[in-house]
């Protein structure tokens, strides 16, 4: 009985650490994508359909469309800095979020990133850009 409990505990720790690592990796790749203006890298972390909004105007895009939208965004808003200022999670649903700041030559956007679990993977479900 003791061995079974130890094995179960080890499995649960492994499962939790693995999910935390996957979330950290996703945010690391997301930061890198923003810092390098790399829409292709950013879209790798997207769900099949993602909601992207700019100053309240929301639209849903598939991965191909969202890559075009983000390429256009990066061309119009030359990167100066991107910082994750806050991140958290819901207690019950496994939903994660991050709030960042994207600074470009003409100003700054607050970026809200909503991350949800899909088929065992965490993927970006929503990107919301609001001018500061």
């Amino acid at each position: 009985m003791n061995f079974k409990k130890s094995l179960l505990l080890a499995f649960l720790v492994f499962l939790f650490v693995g999910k935390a690592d996957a979330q950290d990796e996703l945010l690391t790749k997301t930061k890198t994508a923003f810092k390098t203006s790399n829409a292709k890298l950013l879209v790798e972390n997207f769900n099949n359909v993602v909601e992207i909004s700019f100053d309240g105007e929301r639209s849903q895009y598939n991965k191909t469309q969202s890559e075009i939208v983000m390429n256009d965004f990066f061309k119009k808003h030359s990167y100066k800095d991107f910082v994750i200022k806050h991140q958290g999670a819901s207690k019950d649903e496994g939903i994660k979020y991050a709030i960042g700041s994207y600074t470009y030559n003409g100003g700054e956007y607050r970026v809200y990133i909503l991350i949800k679990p899909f088929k065992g993977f965490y993927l970006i479900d929503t990107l919301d850009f609001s001018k500061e």
Side-chain angles (χ1 to χ4, degrees):
M1 185 78 163
N2 221 0
F3 176 73
K4 286 182 181 180
K5 285 183 180 178
S6 297
L7 188 60
L8 178 62
L9 181 61
F11 174 75
L12 291 174
V13 168
F14 174 76
L15 185 64
F16 176 76
V17 170
K19 285 190 175 190
D21 287 346
Q23 295 162 39
D24 290 344
E25 182 180 332
L26 184 139
L27 283 178
T28 299
K29 286 172 83 176
T30 301
K31 286 189 276 188
T32 300
F34 274 104
K35 289 183 177 194
T36 59
S37 300
N38 187 335
K40 186 176 186 104
L41 179 62
L42 183 61
V43 169
E44 287 177 9
N45 298 312
F46 282 5
N47 192 8
N48 289 333
V49 175
V50 67
E51 181 179 288
I52 301 175
S53 66
F54 297 98
D55 295 319
E57 292 188 32
R58 301 180 187 285
S59 294
Q60 291 188 336
Y61 302 99
N62 64 32
K63 284 190 173 194
T64 302
Q65 294 167 325
S66 60
E67 185 174 347
I68 293 166
V69 168
M70 292 311 303
N71 267 326
D72 188 51
F73 173 82
F74 289 137
K75 285 178 186 172
K76 290 179 181 176
H77 304 91
S78 298
Y79 167 81
K80 283 181 95 178
D81 194 23
F82 180 75
V83 177
I84 298 286
K85 293 186 172 188
H86 181 72
Q87 61 188 39
S90 69
K91 293 183 180 183
D92 298 332
E93 299 174 30
I95 296 172
K96 311 293 180 190
Y97 67 90
I99 299 170
S101 175
Y102 181 85
T103 307
Y104 62 101
N105 286 334
E108 183 177 339
Y109 277 99
R110 180 187 61 83
V111 182
Y112 174 75
I113 305 165
L114 184 66
I115 303 163
K116 291 183 177 180
F118 293 97
K119 297 180 182 178
F121 297 97
Y122 281 94
L123 298 171
I124 295 173
D125 185 69
T126 303
L127 273 181
D128 185 355
F129 294 84
S130 300
K131 280 192 180 176
E132 292 285 304

